[in-house]
Amino acid sequence: MDSDGIPDAAVRIESDGVVFDARDVALLRAVDEHGSLNAAAGALERSFAHAQRRVVELEEAFGSLVERRRGGAGGGGSELTDRARELLARFDRLGAEFTGVADATLSVFPGTVVELHGELATVETVPGAVLTLVPTDVGVDREVEVSVRADAVTVELPEEAPAPDATSARNRFEGRVSEVVTGEAVGRVAVDVGTETPLWAILTTDSLDRMALGVGADVVVSFKATATRAIPQS
């Protein structure tokens, strides 16, 4: 979760190389609520200059989003354009679709707890060590199943993936796409990381098109420790 209380999410809308995400949603909704970009930035505890630059950047990619009103009898301010409201509605639809697909798509693979770190544990699995949340009554050498929600998995092309020490996603593996399932706005990608069942990830169709992902493509997948759960095997 980021500084504005926005949960991490895979929902993103891309246009001309610019990504519209949850932070941008929060900014536009704050403009709508407070009636000005300055007030919106203040409510979100962001720099007005930074917020202004971000709106300009978004508008260059998505079109007019915030209409500025000059001072007058009613004072100045800002309001959202129809384009901005359409973009917010699309983001909400994507979020609902992501949630539905994620609830039905869970990757599970077995492993053994080799080290404990408070509420986290290192679990040795076929593709490598996974850092995951674990119940307090699970000890070292316990056999577990590590589950990962598809919406928590990030897929990147090898040449675009950040260095391992440049991301908060502690779990990172190289793999190969084994299946691509596309929908109207959301697609699913199965990545073979050496386990019996693949690791699934959810991406927008915009991302799938931009990355030109297909069966056989080499990718890097990553996910945060807090996005996984280790369940003891009975």
Side-chain angles (χ1 to χ4, degrees):
M1 187 170 290
D2 68 20
S3 61
D4 297 322
I6 304 165
D8 292 328
V11 182
R12 295 146 56 98
I13 300 174
E14 297 183 35
S15 178
D16 293 335
V18 177
V19 175
F20 179 82
D21 60 16
R23 283 182 60 84
D24 300 316
V25 169
L27 179 58
L28 291 187
R29 287 183 173 153
V31 170
D32 194 34
E33 178 182 355
H34 297 283
S36 78
L37 183 59
N38 190 27
L44 295 174
E45 297 184 349
R46 300 185 193 176
S47 157
F48 171 69
H50 182 274
Q52 190 173 45
R53 286 195 300 271
R54 182 56 179 168
V55 168
V56 170
E57 182 180 16
L58 290 171
E59 291 187 325
E60 289 176 349
F62 294 95
S64 178
L65 301 176
V66 177
E67 186 175 278
R68 289 84 170 174
R69 299 190 307 269
R70 295 298 180 185
S78 303
E79 61 183 13
L80 300 186
T81 64
D82 290 342
R83 174 58 180 148
R85 298 187 188 282
E86 291 170 1
L87 195 60
L88 290 173
R90 182 184 176 195
F91 190 92
D92 288 341
R93 289 194 300 271
L94 277 173
E97 190 170 349
F98 262 72
T99 299
V101 174
D103 287 343
T105 308
L106 191 70
S107 300
V108 179
F109 41 96
T112 303
V113 175
V114 295
E115 191 174 356
L116 296 173
H117 322 272
E119 297 179 345
L120 297 173
T122 298
V123 177
E124 193 61 42
T125 69
V126 170
V130 174
L131 188 64
T132 175
L133 289 169
V134 66
T136 55
D137 60 347
V138 171
V140 173
D141 295 330
R142 185 70 182 272
E143 298 296 318
V144 296
E145 289 186 335
V146 177
S147 63
V148 187
R149 280 173 56 99
D151 59 339
V153 179
T154 298
V155 178
E156 294 169 298
L157 298 174
E159 62 271 20
E160 296 179 354
D165 59 355
T167 173
S168 60
R170 300 287 297 277
N171 300 305
R172 172 189 170 109
F173 304 106
E174 296 180 356
R176 180 162 294 174
V177 175
S178 59
E179 185 178 353
V180 178
V181 181
T182 58
E184 182 178 349
V186 172
R188 290 182 295 151
V189 174
V191 179
D192 181 1
V193 291
T195 52
E196 183 176 346
T197 57
L199 182 64
W200 284 93
I202 302 176
L203 295 85
T204 63
T205 51
D206 288 344
S207 294
L208 285 172
D209 291 342
R210 181 187 65 80
M211 298 170 70
L213 287 181
V215 173
D218 292 324
V219 294
V220 174
V221 292
S222 59
F223 50 92
K224 294 182 179 180
T226 51
T228 68
R229 298 292 186 275
I231 308 301
Q233 293 189 29
S234 56

